[in-house]
Amino acid sequence: MTPKERAAKSAAVMWANDEASKWFGMDLVDVDEGRAVLALTVAPHHCNGHGICHGGVTHALADSAFAFACNSRNVATVGQHTMMSYLAPAKRGDHLTARATETAVAGRSGIYDVRITNQDNITIAEFRGMSRAIGGQNFDE
């Protein structure tokens, strides 16, 4: 199995059980070893009292991309710590894309960066997630 095939199979198994990402309205666009791309169109129910996308929705999108990237090797992995910097507001109707990239893996720990951009390629937020492998696999190999 190639690394991309492994990432795709791991993502398919995770996506089948990921009710939260589907509930938010996210789409799984692409996965590869150490990488994942998810997208979301900002709907009215994603907006806060200022009429812009709620920060928690943006964070959830980044967190889901992080999850698919850090599980791409078929090693069950969870988030240990995350941080997010918001750079520009996302507005109702914006199409957001979260691109997660593995920065480092050492033992059971990993570091992943996620950039969220809108349809005009404006950076909305930057996210960094630290992962921890918890043992086991997402599917039997």
Side-chain angles (χ1 to χ4, degrees):
M1 182 176 298
T2 68
K4 183 154 181 77
E5 290 169 339
R6 181 173 290 106
K9 187 164 184 179
S10 184
V13 170
M14 288 178 58
W15 186 258
N17 297 312
D18 187 347
E19 297 304 319
S21 295
K22 289 184 261 189
W23 178 81
F24 272 103
M26 296 176 198
D27 294 310
L28 179 60
V29 176
D30 188 38
V31 292
D32 204 335
E33 186 174 83
R35 295 188 310 102
V37 180
L38 272 73
L40 168 84
T41 299
V42 180
H45 66 273
H46 294 132
C47 294
N48 63 20
H50 295 292
I52 58 176
C53 187
H54 191 287
V57 174
T58 310
H59 192 278
L61 177 61
D63 190 53
S64 289
F66 163 53
F68 284 96
C70 68
N71 279 275
S72 65
R73 288 184 179 85
N74 192 29
V75 176
T77 305
V78 297
Q80 184 176 34
H81 173 78
T82 67
M83 62 185 130
M84 183 90 146
S85 296
Y86 300 92
L87 303 168
K91 301 174 185 89
R92 181 182 302 179
D94 279 354
H95 185 73
L96 304 180
T97 302
R99 289 177 177 82
T101 306
E102 184 177 272
T103 302
V105 175
R108 293 176 44 208
S109 298
I111 300 173
Y112 295 78
D113 288 331
V114 183
R115 174 172 283 167
I116 298 178
T117 57
N118 69 9
Q119 67 281 354
D120 298 319
N121 206 33
I122 294 170
T123 300
I124 301 299
E126 294 277 350
F127 168 106
R128 176 159 272 196
M130 282 54 99
S131 68
R132 187 75 171 168
I134 57 173
Q137 296 179 311
N138 298 312
F139 66 92
D140 292 333
E141 276 192 88

